[in-house]
Each structure stands twice: as C-alpha cells, then as structure tokens.
Amino acid sequence: MENLNEEVHKANEIIKEGGIILYPTDTVWGIGCDATNPEAVAKIYKLKQRAETQSMIVLMNGEKMIYNVFKDIPEVAWQIIDLSEKPTTLVLDKPRNVAPNLIAPDNTLGIRIVKEPFCFKLMEKMKKPLVSTSANISGQPTPKSFKEINPEIIKGVDYVVNLHREKIACTPSTIIKLTNDSQVKVIRK
C-alpha cells in the first residue's frame, strides 16, 4: 500500500507540472495527463504520432467528476455504469471543462469510471479527470503488458509508474456511445 501512495504522489507531481505519465489502468497500460491541460494532451498525441482528430478517452473517479464535464447525462448512462461487469467506456455528448483537443469532431468525449486503486487515488489527488490512451504508437498493436511497450513510448513520457509491471492486461474496455436523445450504440464489445 505504501508504494501505491508514493506512486500516486510522484505521478501527481509530474501531472501538475504538465507532464505525461505511463501507468497501469483497469485494462491495459495507458499514457495519461491532466485532461484539462491542452499542452499536455498535445504531448501525448505527438508521442503516439496520432492525429488530434482521433480523440482519447478520459478516466473519472465518480459522479461528481462526470457532472463537472457533462451537464446532461442520459439516464441510461447510470444504468450501464451500474450494470457493467467489465470496464466500460461511455461516449457522451457535449463535454465541457476539458482540453478542447480531447473532444471528438462530433462534440463527444469517451469516459470511463475507474475503481482501480492507483487511478482512483491519483484522480482524488488531482481533482481532475485523467487522460487514458493505450501505450502504443498509433497503428501499432496495443501492448498487453509492460514489457510489450515500445521503448520510444517509455522514453517519451515524463514518468513511468512503478506498479503492476508484471501484470498481463485483460482486453480493452467495451465502448458504448450514448446520445442525449437516448440512442445507444456499441462501438467496441
């Protein structure tokens, strides 16, 4: 546990300075930063060699954070969050209070509520949502474990979290798109 708090502290210090981190999530290893900092977000796009039009998802640690980013949340979103057995990303309409370069061209943002202790505690400290994108160069396969991560990515971040480096990841999250007029579409099972 000691180590967890220490890693949360170190990661938070880097993020406060506008840095980007490589960290374990409830699914695969992710590259992350403060979701309200457009310069930090731009660094991640650059590192991944990814077009800014391909939006990234944002992790949150609970309702309060979701309401800070979305004014209108379809009722079905809460049902999906409550019923999901596995990590589920929801794509919702009209986000606000996040970096503009995170928002998709159709004015949506993918979010996931995480209970994973490192991410949860880090966001508690940050009091902000955390960007999460798979730790690969765009177009390359998503690494299932720390040792599959491209050295360029490891060199390119400002801090690598020293937890769960042996863990083999499960699959990436399910992605469900919800529009404010209550349409539901599964994008990734």
Side-chain angles (χ1 to χ4, degrees), residues 50-61:
R50 181 175 180 159
E52 290 209 1
T53 48
Q54 289 181 286
S55 52
M56 300 186 284
I57 73 160
V58 170
L59 302 181
M60 301 191 174
N61 66 1

Side-chain angles (χ1 to χ4, degrees), residues 38-109:
E39 288 79 24
V41 170
K43 280 190 203 170
I44 295 181
Y45 282 117
K46 194 168 167 228
L47 177 61
K48 282 182 66 92
Q49 300 167 25
R50 181 175 180 159
E52 290 209 1
T53 48
Q54 289 181 286
S55 52
M56 300 186 284
I57 73 160
V58 170
L59 302 181
M60 301 191 174
N61 66 1
E63 276 182 39
K64 198 172 153 205
M65 218 173 250
I66 294 181
Y67 277 115
N68 189 34
V69 176
F70 301 97
K71 204 166 65 193
D72 304 308
I73 298 159
E75 193 44 51
V76 64
W78 301 115
Q79 294 163 355
I80 292 170
I81 289 167
D82 289 342
L83 298 171
S84 296
E85 303 275 299
K86 64 177 217 154
T88 300
T89 297
L90 296 179
V91 180
L92 300 173
D93 282 338
K94 300 198 188 103
R96 56 198 178 143
N97 302 329
V98 291
N101 49 351
L102 277 177
I103 298 171
D106 64 354
N107 199 16
T108 58
L109 179 68

Side-chain angles (χ1 to χ4, degrees), residues 3 5 25 32 34 40 43-44 48 51 57 66 86-88 96 109 120 131 145-146 157 173 178 186:
N3 206 7
N5 292 333
T25 74
D34 169 357
K43 280 190 203 170
I44 295 181
K48 282 182 66 92
I57 73 160
I66 294 181
K86 64 177 217 154
T88 300
R96 56 198 178 143
L109 179 68
F120 188 89
V131 170
S145 65
F146 183 75
V157 298
S173 62
L178 302 177
V186 177

Side-chain angles (χ1 to χ4, degrees), residues 114-132:
V114 281
K115 299 176 176 73
E116 192 282 321
F118 172 77
C119 297
F120 188 89
K121 281 181 171 297
L122 177 58
M123 284 184 281
E124 263 185 346
K125 244 192 177 8
M126 290 165 63
K127 300 194 179 13
K128 289 177 182 163
L130 177 67
V131 170
S132 186

Side-chain angles (χ1 to χ4, degrees), residues 131-146:
V131 170
S132 186
T133 181
S134 53
N136 57 345
I137 307 275
S138 212
Q140 291 183 356
T142 299
K144 293 256 182 288
S145 65
F146 183 75

